[in-house]
Amino acid sequence: MFKGALFDLDGVIANTADLHFKAWQKLARNYFKAELPIELEEKTKGISRSDSLQVILDSLKITLTSTEFSHLANEKNEIYKAYLDKLTVADILPGIDNFIAELKTQHIRLALASASQNGPVILQKLGLATAFDTIVDPKQVAHGKPAPDIFIAAAQSLNLQPVQCIGLEDSIAGITAINASGAISIAIGDAAKLKAAYKIVADTTQLNLATVTAVFKH
């Protein structure tokens, strides 16, 4: 039996992934009068705010000073937090609350390993803050996803090694990070895009204790 579960947040626990890109779209319209191509959503999924902004600027062929860059990154976060104000328990993805409850009954320790700096606020709004044993501060890890740092830190914060854990993600960058950390990767979403994962489920309703235990035993 594995001992720890390392969760991404956006698109795994709650339906907040779309809100990130919605905030980036609003920022691009406000500052650059530009419409972001939809394919950028996948490229910005799972990575840090700064890395996401750089992806967007590269796409628009825009160069900013470090001061301007910092200002826009902060502005995006303010837009995103305004969207989060409306977040409730109804935004927990289907099956996740039951899955977490199953893990807790088996004394599996839970860590949040999200690139989002708003993780604590989001879990509070979802009523899940007390379910997690630890939340990794993404600002405290040297390298963001697809580097494995945040998943290694998450396991260590549970006093575990990554090999004793499963990691749950919905992004290519996140799966790459889990695999590099040594944890067992479980992807939620498109099998073609997330083929590097050890196990793929189509959606969160397919996550349950039996499924993830079987994966770890293999």
Side-chain angles (χ1 to χ4, degrees):
M1 173 69 80
F2 62 98
K3 296 183 177 180
L6 317 177
F7 282 77
D8 179 42
L9 176 54
D10 301 319
V12 173
I13 295 174
N15 197 16
T16 49
D18 292 347
L19 298 181
H20 279 291
F21 195 62
K22 185 178 176 182
W24 286 123
Q25 287 175 313
K26 184 172 182 179
L27 190 81
R29 292 187 195 106
N30 289 350
Y31 284 88
F32 307 123
K33 310 300 181 193
E35 292 295 327
L36 298 181
I38 194 63
E39 59 266 22
L40 280 185
E41 182 170 9
E42 187 63 39
K43 293 181 179 179
T44 58
K45 186 182 287 187
I47 62 177
S48 70
R49 191 187 314 158
S50 294
D51 289 344
S52 294
L53 178 54
Q54 192 59 59
V55 166
I56 289 166
L57 294 175
D58 290 345
S59 172
L60 298 176
K61 296 180 172 56
I62 291 172
T63 302
L64 299 177
T65 66
S66 58
T67 300
E68 290 170 333
F69 187 97
S70 179
H71 172 74
L72 285 191
N74 290 334
E75 179 66 18
K76 181 267 177 181
N77 194 46
E78 292 306 311
I79 296 170
Y80 176 65
K81 287 195 293 185
Y83 293 148
L84 291 182
D85 282 343
K86 298 178 181 178
L87 207 64
T88 70
V89 293
D91 293 293
I92 300 174
L93 286 169
I96 286 295
D97 46 0
N98 290 335
F99 178 52
I100 288 174
E102 278 191 301
L103 294 175
K104 299 296 281 186
T105 63
Q106 297 301 311
H107 308 291
I108 304 300
R109 305 197 72 199
L110 309 186
L112 188 70
S114 170
S116 175
Q117 296 176 29
N118 298 295
V121 172
I122 294 172
L123 289 184
Q124 193 70 43
K125 286 182 173 293
L126 298 174
L128 293 175
T130 59
F132 282 79
D133 298 284
T134 186
I135 299 172
V136 179
D137 182 351
K139 293 185 292 185
Q140 299 302 312
V141 298
H143 305 287
K145 303 170 189 178
D149 301 35
I150 197 165
F151 287 102
I152 294 172
Q156 290 175 341
S157 71
L158 297 175
N159 295 317
L160 299 173
Q161 295 299 315
V163 294
Q164 297 174 289
C165 303
I166 58 167
L168 300 113
E169 268 281 0
D170 72 324
S171 71
I172 296 169
I175 292 300
T176 301
I178 294 170
N179 290 343
S181 77
I184 298 293
S185 57
I186 299 176
I188 300 101
D190 189 326
K193 290 180 182 177
L194 302 170
K195 58 186 178 183
Y198 190 84
K199 172 72 175 178
I200 305 168
V201 296
D203 56 55
T204 52
T205 64
Q206 296 181 20
L207 288 173
N208 56 64
L209 185 63
T211 296
V212 297
T213 301
V215 168
F216 199 82
K217 285 181 178 178
H218 290 157

